[in-house]
Amino acid sequence: MKWAGLALLLSAFAAPHIARAQPVTLFDGGAVAPVLHEPGRTMALAAQLLQRDLAALTGVSPPTATSLQSCSSLCIVIGQKDSALVRAVAADGAVDLRPLEGQWERYVRVLVPSRRHPGRAYLLIAGSDPRGAVWGVTDLSRDLGVSPWEWWADVTPRRTDRLVIDGAWRLSDAPSVRYRGIFLNDEDWGLQPWAARTFEPETGDIGPKTYAKIFELLWRLKANMIWPAMHDVTRPFYTVAGNARTADDYAIVVGTSHAEPMMRNNVREWRDAWGAFNYVENKPALLRYWRERVREVAGHENIYTLGLRGRHDSGMEGVDSAQAARDVTADVVAQQRRILTQETGRPAAQLPQVMTLYKEVLDTYRAGLNIPDDVTIVWPDDNYGYLHQLSAAQEQQRPGGAGIYYHLSYWGRPHDYTWLSSTHPALVREQLDRAWRTQARRLWVANVGDIKPGEFLMQYFLDIAFDARLLADPPRVYLRRWAERQFGPQAADAVADVMGTHFDLAFPRRPEFMGWGQTEPTRPNAISDYVRTGGEEAERRLADYAALVDRTDRLAAALPADRRDAFFQMVGYNVRSAANINDRMLRLDLAVVHAKQHRTDMNRLSDQARAAHARIVADTAAYNAQRNGKWRHMMSMTQRDLPVFQEPFYPKWDIPAGEDCARTQTPSCRSPAPAILTNRILSLPAIAARSADWEAAPGLGSGGAALRSRLDLPSRPGPSGAHPLSYRFTTQERTDVTLRIVALPVHPLTSANRLRIAVRVDGGDPTILDYQSFGRSEEWKRNVLSNSATRDIRLPQLPAAAHRIDLEALDPGFLLDRIDVRLDGAPDYYGAPPVDPIRQ
């Protein structure tokens, strides 16, 4: 093999503390550098991953070995800092690896010329621990141009005739969050049937072959933890031979969800013959049940979930109040920690343990539950992307720290969103920023449902978890960078624009919510609020989606052939399906409205709705057929068979002869524009004002630029007039006015805070507005379905004059979207008013 410039590289070798660029040619068009690795299963798997990536990039598969004797010129060496292989390389090249001592998941990558063997050099990847070495491998693959989604979304590595990497000393940063991972959930319509029927039929379930692919994806995303799939359609993780061993092989930490204490999956593992799943009545049976599992898994790397809920995702059995649950939970946790100590031989305080304060467990905690200081408190969101509560000052001092459990997919009331990926990345960024700045840094886990088609949001969450400095970037900056890495620099701006518009349109109403029904209990579809102003707002939304689909389809056609499948999986299916579900539902609603208006395009609208449904069917079939059926059974458009997914009845109306609008274009068939109400609304975006108490929340809100009251702002007992946001407007007539203050439905930042603002108009007395919602109230349901929370202030007979609104933050973390100044007779839009309101 010809290694051009090797002598120059040897002479230019710099000391570790001097990070001069040192090009290292791994492939010169003929041969590719071999891969040497520390013996052992984890390092062998890391070497095989790199071997496959190098082969995909070059067309040449490099050899792998475990001995330095296999290295003749330049080799890639992978291992832990204290392995014999790495020690030998470090000694040969006088490399100081002491910076890795005592570190968590860090690595050194550096070119090491051999002093003993002239003409030989090593590209050393030395990890502080197994995962540190793995991150060194996956970072090298990323640097060479391999996407984390090379297998899971078919972002095929592109061939090259030369591979050059920088061999300068690199000491990786420590991960920002210690434990970072995903929860596989609601897998009934994608991941489980795909694994059972397509990818791993020999197991007939999500087994070791599937988990190996999932764990490799976690490697590529530098995540280290899994909460395994746990619905009753899936066999419990530890009951499938090979699953636990595969997690060990990949050095993946296994935990369990909020509903699965002590590594148990209650849905399928608890036997009715053991009696009720009731600690109050059946304590010995539950203690035996937990002890058996801890004894079985004690040799693995685990994070133990403490506490107790119902057999499935339900409240604890045998208690009738938060106080009773508090007392029982305290005893449960004490007994569970005793079991951990006895079965592992280690003090419980030395074992990673978490307690997730999900749903009613948060009420139990608020009732005075004392959680041992070494246990990590995991704060959940409300299932719709808004964190319920975070650590107050005293909680931030706990040795066990805190973490978060965050939903990017959800099954439950008021409505599921398990089909498409539509959580706005700006909301993800803002909520993760809250967690980071309140010291919730021990564990972050995202509910990713079936993984697909939520690739982008999964990576966004995990990339921030690994490097919280990304929080400083506006979401669109990250999105554009991500698009470039998947689809190339020429397409990056267009891809980012398409995806950003998709998230913007889904923010006021997710695609799954367009039926206007609810679930648990399931309620039928209803007429959309988008048509309540006569159809104008619905028509605008349909036009926006039509323009988006046109851009998406033109972009897909222009992409290189090797990126079209990936684009469809990660972008196109989301965009087109969101547009088509809006098209189907809104056109049917408009048909009904137009019939009442005696317009003659009702049947055409009904036919268009039918065509939209057919497009969803066709796109879903195309998704499952991609790559010769690689993803067959992965995508379903009828999840839980909720009303919004069911094909509707397409009504037909009798139209006078000669006016069949489905076949003719007679003048009466041309739909007149609906009567436009005088738009007596002035919409003031939050960012139209500035204040020292407020900071920008980029990308959020109906205008893409919300304001957040500073997270370090202390809660105030009442208004002081300090640092208000000031807005001005003018009325041309004396009229009744309503100020609608539109916010995002966040929750109080900590238990020490509320969610209040004070509003003054024209220097008058302040009105204090509290936006806190409680439980699963009807208000909370409206809020999360619309991503908004509103309060109104009535101003009767406001005179014609210039006016001023002063808005003061009384608590931290309030998210202000806009202020709508609504004059008497203003139309009641569902979302933000049109862009051209009355002039100030």
Side-chain angles (χ1 to χ4, degrees), residues 195-321:
R197 301 164 64 185
T198 302
F199 187 67
E200 196 173 357
E202 65 275 17
T203 303
D205 214 323
I206 305 175
K209 182 180 175 183
T210 303
Y211 274 114
K213 281 297 184 185
I214 293 170
F215 296 156
E216 184 177 294
L217 175 62
L218 294 184
W219 272 10
R220 292 184 183 276
L221 298 174
K222 295 193 288 190
N224 60 10
M225 183 187 66
I226 189 83
W227 287 0
M230 48 75 70
H231 271 208
D232 54 8
V233 70
T234 306
R235 287 158 59 195
F237 181 80
Y238 287 109
T239 68
V240 178
N243 279 357
R245 183 180 65 252
T246 302
D248 286 345
D249 290 346
Y250 282 87
I252 294 296
V253 185
V254 180
T256 48
S257 74
H258 53 84
E260 304 171 275
M262 302 293 277
M263 314 301 288
R264 278 291 196 179
N265 180 324
N266 306 319
V267 178
R268 289 188 60 170
E269 289 192 306
W270 180 262
R271 300 175 187 173
D272 291 337
W274 296 340
F277 194 78
N278 184 319
Y279 188 83
V280 176
E281 299 177 0
N282 202 12
K283 178 176 177 177
L286 268 73
L287 294 179
R288 285 194 302 271
Y289 173 67
W290 293 330
R291 185 179 295 277
E292 288 173 2
R293 177 51 47 79
V294 174
R295 183 175 299 161
E296 176 187 350
V297 305
H300 303 287
E301 189 175 7
N302 310 311
I303 296 179
Y304 295 93
T305 291
L306 303 182
L308 179 62
R309 300 188 67 219
R311 183 169 177 177
H312 191 31
D313 188 359
S314 56
M316 182 191 298
E317 298 178 20
V319 296
D320 57 6
S321 68

Side-chain angles (χ1 to χ4, degrees), residues 392-663:
Q394 185 173 356
E395 291 162 326
Q396 292 178 27
Q397 305 306 312
R398 300 177 66 260
I404 61 168
Y405 167 44
Y406 195 80
H407 285 79
L408 299 173
S409 173
Y410 179 64
W411 163 346
R413 68 182 185 271
H415 203 285
D416 306 3
Y417 59 100
T418 61
W419 177 35
L420 303 178
S421 182
S422 59
T423 300
H424 205 294
L427 178 61
V428 176
R429 191 214 68 85
E430 193 278 331
Q431 293 290 294
L432 297 188
D433 185 53
R434 288 170 182 254
W436 180 254
R437 290 172 62 178
T438 54
Q439 304 299 312
R441 303 179 179 183
R442 183 62 60 89
L443 175 148
W444 286 8
V445 60
N447 186 322
V448 299
D450 288 317
I451 298 176
K452 300 176 69 65
E455 296 93 343
F456 167 73
L457 288 176
M458 176 176 166
Q459 182 171 354
Y460 189 41
F461 179 94
L462 292 174
D463 277 359
I464 294 175
F466 194 88
D467 185 359
R469 291 174 299 186
L470 293 172
L471 290 167
D473 293 336
R476 284 292 181 102
V477 171
Y478 176 93
L479 176 53
R480 198 248 176 232
R481 192 161 54 233
W482 179 89
E484 180 175 353
R485 289 171 178 166
Q486 315 311 317
F487 304 107
Q490 292 78 19
D493 287 333
V495 172
D497 179 63
V498 160
M499 293 180 70
T501 305
H502 161 72
F503 290 122
D504 288 345
L505 286 172
F507 190 69
R509 199 78 182 181
R510 291 181 189 267
E512 292 92 339
F513 302 167
M514 287 304 298
W516 246 262
Q518 294 190 21
T519 190
E520 296 184 11
T522 298
R523 305 176 197 174
N525 292 336
I527 293 289
S528 165
D529 282 357
Y530 277 110
V531 302
R532 67 188 179 195
T533 54
E536 171 197 359
E537 194 175 11
E539 296 279 9
R540 261 200 335 267
R541 186 167 175 84
L542 287 171
D544 288 342
Y545 265 118
L548 176 59
V549 169
D550 180 65
R551 295 205 311 273
T552 303
D553 289 350
R554 285 189 285 109
L555 173 57
L559 285 173
D562 70 343
R563 288 295 179 266
R564 291 175 189 166
D565 285 354
F567 181 80
F568 184 69
Q569 291 173 44
M570 297 194 289
V571 183
Y573 185 82
N574 273 309
V575 170
R576 288 176 54 86
S577 296
N580 284 323
I581 199 73
N582 273 268
D583 207 327
R584 191 192 75 186
M585 302 307 299
L586 290 178
R587 290 195 189 279
L588 285 177
D589 292 346
L590 285 171
V592 173
V593 171
H594 287 197
K596 293 178 180 178
Q597 294 173 345
H598 304 291
R599 296 163 70 180
T600 56
D601 62 348
M602 306 87 71
N603 289 342
R604 178 168 58 86
L605 287 166
S606 185
D607 289 340
Q608 289 171 338
R610 186 194 302 271
H613 184 85
R615 290 194 294 271
I616 299 174
V617 173
D619 282 350
T620 304
Y623 193 114
N624 289 318
Q626 273 201 342
R627 299 280 167 147
N628 296 317
K630 174 181 177 180
W631 300 114
R632 188 173 295 116
H633 304 299
M634 177 58 83
M635 185 54 62
S636 167
M637 56 167 286
T638 57
Q639 303 195 6
R640 273 226 284 178
D641 204 28
L642 294 176
V644 69
F645 298 124
Q646 297 169 3
E647 184 165 17
F649 169 72
Y650 303 104
K652 288 289 185 180
W653 287 265
D654 291 331
I655 297 176
E659 295 187 4
D660 184 351
C661 295
R663 302 184 182 185

